[in-house]
């Protein structure tokens, strides 16, 4: 896209959080190859934060009908609301931090909860920076390769992440 490439990438990151069901890791990794790690982080961060804020407010303003539509099923929304009930801050923090959760959908679901926007925003600013940075550095295969010594390191990191989530959830 030439000179407007960064704007297109920011818009894609924004849309993948708020409207288009694309995994953010795939979009960020593609950006790392297109723009390099530093710019992909910056552009992705801008787009993802803006999209997360919009998704939160769409959930808050438009309510259950909208979130059910985005999720594709009322039961999915009910399941996530049950999982985060009375533990919104801790559970949502880890959902936003780790890449194997539907964190983009959960932004809209968070809008249905009593969570204050300020808590949501701080959570997004911190966890998305970590998640996008990890995607750029780890998932792109540049820092830890997907072969040889990299495989056991990635497995250990995954197990540690799951253990941290379970301990904090309990």
């Amino acid at each position: 896209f030439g000179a407007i490439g960064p704007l297109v990438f920011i818009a894609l990151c924004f849309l993948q959080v708020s409207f288009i069901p694309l995994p953010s890791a795939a979009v960020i990794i593609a950006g790392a190859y297109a723009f390099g790690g530093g710019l992909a982080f910056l552009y992705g961060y801008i787009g993802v934060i803006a999209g997360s804020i919009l998704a939160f407010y769409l959930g808050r303003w438009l309510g259950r009908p909208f979130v059910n539509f985005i999720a594709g099923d009322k039961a999915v929304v009910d399941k996530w609301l049950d999982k985060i009930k009375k533990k919104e801050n801790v559970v949502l923090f880890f959902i936003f931090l780790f890449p194997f959760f539907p964190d983009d959908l959960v932004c809209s679901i968070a809008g249905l909860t009593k969570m204050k926007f300020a808590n949501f925003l701080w959570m997004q600013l911190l966890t998305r920076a970590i998640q996008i940075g990890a995607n750029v550095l780890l998932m792109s295969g540049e820092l830890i390769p997907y072969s040889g010594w990299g495989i056991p390191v990635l497995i250990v990191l995954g197990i540690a992440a799951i253990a941290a989530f379970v301990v904090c959830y309990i």
Side-chain angles (χ1 to χ4, degrees):
F1 292 98
I4 65 164
L7 294 176
V8 171
F9 182 66
I10 290 170
L12 183 61
C13 289
F14 172 82
L15 291 171
Q16 70 84 28
V17 174
S18 51
F19 296 108
I20 302 171
L22 291 173
S24 60
V27 174
I28 298 298
I29 291 168
Y33 287 113
F35 302 107
L39 290 176
F41 175 84
L42 176 65
Y43 300 152
Y45 190 68
I46 292 167
V48 167
I49 293 295
S52 297
I53 291 168
L54 178 65
F56 177 85
Y57 274 113
L58 287 173
R60 178 129 315 159
W61 293 332
L62 301 177
R64 283 298 292 258
F66 171 77
V67 178
N68 289 344
F69 173 75
I70 291 294
D73 187 4
K74 179 184 180 296
V76 171
V77 177
D78 290 338
K79 178 183 86 167
W80 283 107
L81 285 171
D82 285 342
K83 286 183 180 187
I84 64 176
K85 187 187 301 182
K86 297 181 182 177
K87 297 180 181 183
E88 288 94 358
N89 290 331
V90 171
V91 175
L92 289 176
F93 180 85
F94 282 101
I95 287 173
F96 294 134
L97 185 62
F98 297 134
F100 43 83
F101 291 109
D103 52 343
D104 302 331
L105 169 63
V106 174
C107 288
S108 295
I109 293 172
L112 299 175
T113 69
K114 294 179 182 180
M115 174 180 264
K116 293 179 182 177
F117 175 72
N119 290 350
F120 176 81
L121 181 61
W122 282 112
M123 202 176 290
Q124 291 301 300
L125 292 173
L126 177 62
T127 61
R128 297 299 187 148
I130 294 168
Q131 186 184 61
I132 292 169
N135 284 334
V136 167
L137 294 174
L138 302 175
M139 304 290 282
S140 67
E142 291 181 24
L143 185 63
I144 299 176
Y146 288 124
S147 61
W149 65 270
I151 293 172
V153 170
L154 290 171
I155 290 170
V156 168
L157 287 173
I159 291 169
I162 292 168
F165 172 75
V166 169
V167 167
C168 289
Y169 186 77
I170 292 170

